Amino acid sequence: MLIICTFLLLTLVVGLTSRKATTFRAYAVDTKRLFTVKLLATLLGTSFCGVSLLSPVEVCYSADLPKVVLTFMPSLTLWLTSLMWIRMAPFTQHLSIAGTIGSVYGKYPRIIVALLATCSAISIVKDQINAISTIITICLDAINPTSITVLATLTLIFYATLAGMRSVTNTDVLQCITFVVIIALIAKLMFKKIDKPTLDIVSFLQNQEKFKLSSLFHLDKQPLNLLLYVPFSCFIIADPGNIQRVYMCASPAQVKKVFLYGSLLYLVIMFFVCLIGLFAFAGNPTLSVEKI
């Protein structure tokens, strides 16, 4: 309980101590003079949230290799975005994807995209709130998870409303660092808990039918899902959260760096997330999904 409250308080302090936006442009995209490392941290901080942290652990424990591979595919979206940097120069001065669509297609498409982006943002926030509630329920049986969840939600709304994108960016950096450290520590603790040599764990996983490379090519496993994700990635490039990071970059060249490095680091972080599920499976392969 103390750790959670401390994290929420620190998040609130970081958010409120950020310089308050004085213009709508600063509120939406900050000053566009952010370091690449900071933009990279906020990109990863928003990429790993809610179900993107919890779902891969369950997938690696209970699903087969094709679905495990799919958990790494969002990095493809980030990489494809980095390839489009040279075409983004005319749009880097816009404030949102709705503004970009409106500048090309007019008023009504702009309104439609704005509404869809709002619905997408609400869905993402909902996933984050559900993830917070799930984690609190697992870790703190004696505490009502609703109260902490409401507190976390109000904290997010409070600092984001007052200080705008700068506070969101600063708290994203804090959360990114926190999540990366926690993920690495949990993976290490899981490895120590199962108390098996690395070679034994690898051998055990290799002997599982669902983790064999041949499972990628079984007709009943629908291997085309992996190939179909490539055109699907082209559609989700326009994710409002990712596009907002494009508008925050100072130049198309910075867009390329942020999303290229982001795609590589996404693979590394997701690898450690998946290790948690694999170590749990190696330690006890008979758990139900609810107990993972």
Side-chain angles (χ1 to χ4, degrees):
M1 179 65 176
L2 179 61
I3 295 175
I4 294 175
C5 290
T6 301
F7 176 74
L8 291 177
L9 180 61
L10 183 59
T11 300
L12 183 61
V13 170
V14 171
L16 294 182
T17 54
S18 301
R19 188 174 60 187
K20 190 175 181 179
T22 56
T23 64
F24 183 74
R25 172 173 289 275
Y27 187 88
V29 296
D30 206 353
T31 61
K32 296 178 73 71
R33 293 194 297 268
L34 298 175
F35 292 112
T36 299
V37 173
K38 195 171 186 178
L39 287 169
L40 179 59
T42 188
L43 176 65
L44 293 173
T46 53
S47 296
F48 287 94
C49 60
V51 294
S52 61
L53 276 177
L54 300 180
S55 179
V57 176
E58 298 177 358
V59 168
C60 290
Y61 184 93
S62 58
D64 49 19
L65 188 58
K67 292 183 180 179
V68 174
V69 173
L70 283 174
T71 62
F72 290 86
M73 286 303 197
S75 65
L76 179 63
T77 301
L78 301 180
W79 178 69
L80 289 174
T81 305
S82 72
L83 295 181
M84 298 175 61
W85 68 277
I86 199 170
R87 300 291 183 182
M88 295 178 180
F91 311 110
T92 53
Q93 297 305 314
H94 294 168
L95 303 182
S96 67
I97 188 173
T100 299
I101 295 296
S103 67
V104 178
Y105 298 105
K107 176 181 177 181
Y108 294 108
R110 176 178 182 173
I111 294 174
I112 293 172
V113 172
L115 292 174
L116 291 175
T118 302
C119 293
S120 174
I122 292 174
S123 176
I124 293 173
V125 172
K126 181 263 296 180
D127 289 338
Q128 290 178 324
I129 293 173
N130 287 339
I132 292 173
S133 179
T134 301
I135 293 172
I136 293 173
T137 302
I138 294 173
C139 299
L140 302 172
D141 294 332
I143 302 297
N144 182 6
T146 303
S147 58
I148 300 297
T149 303
V150 171
L151 179 61
T153 305
L154 292 177
T155 300
L156 170 66
I157 295 173
F158 190 57
Y159 73 71
T161 302
L162 289 181
M165 186 55 69
R166 177 175 287 271
S167 67
V168 173
T169 301
N170 290 338
T171 52
D172 278 347
V173 173
L174 171 64
Q175 292 169 10
C176 178
I177 296 172
T178 303
F179 289 154
V180 168
V181 172
I182 289 176
I183 289 169
L185 287 176
I186 292 177
K188 182 178 180 180
L189 290 174
M190 290 294 295
F191 177 73
K192 288 185 175 181
K193 185 175 181 180
I194 60 178
D195 195 26
K196 294 180 180 179
T198 304
L199 292 178
D200 289 350
I201 297 174
V202 174
S203 177
F204 173 77
L205 295 176
Q206 285 179 337
N207 291 330
Q208 302 298 313
E209 184 65 29
K210 65 179 182 178
F211 290 135
K212 291 182 178 180
L213 290 177
S214 58
S215 65
L216 290 172
F217 307 102
H218 288 176
L219 293 178
D220 59 334
K221 302 298 184 180
Q222 299 181 353
L224 286 178
N225 287 345
L226 299 177
L227 296 177
L228 291 176
Y229 194 92
V230 176
F232 175 71
S233 298
C234 296
F235 286 102
I236 61 176
I237 282 176
D239 172 70
N242 288 344
I243 291 297
Q244 200 66 23
R245 270 62 192 175
V246 171
Y247 297 136
M248 292 168 63
C249 293
S251 65
Q254 191 176 41
V255 174
K256 179 182 178 181
K257 290 181 180 180
V258 170
F259 282 85
L260 177 60
Y261 298 157
S263 65
L264 298 175
L265 288 176
Y266 187 98
L267 293 175
V268 175
I269 297 173
M270 184 57 70
F271 172 75
F272 282 98
V273 174
C274 290
L275 278 181
I276 297 173
L278 293 176
F279 286 155
F281 182 81
N284 187 352
T286 61
L287 290 176
S288 62
V289 176
E290 293 76 13
K291 294 182 179 180
I292 299 175

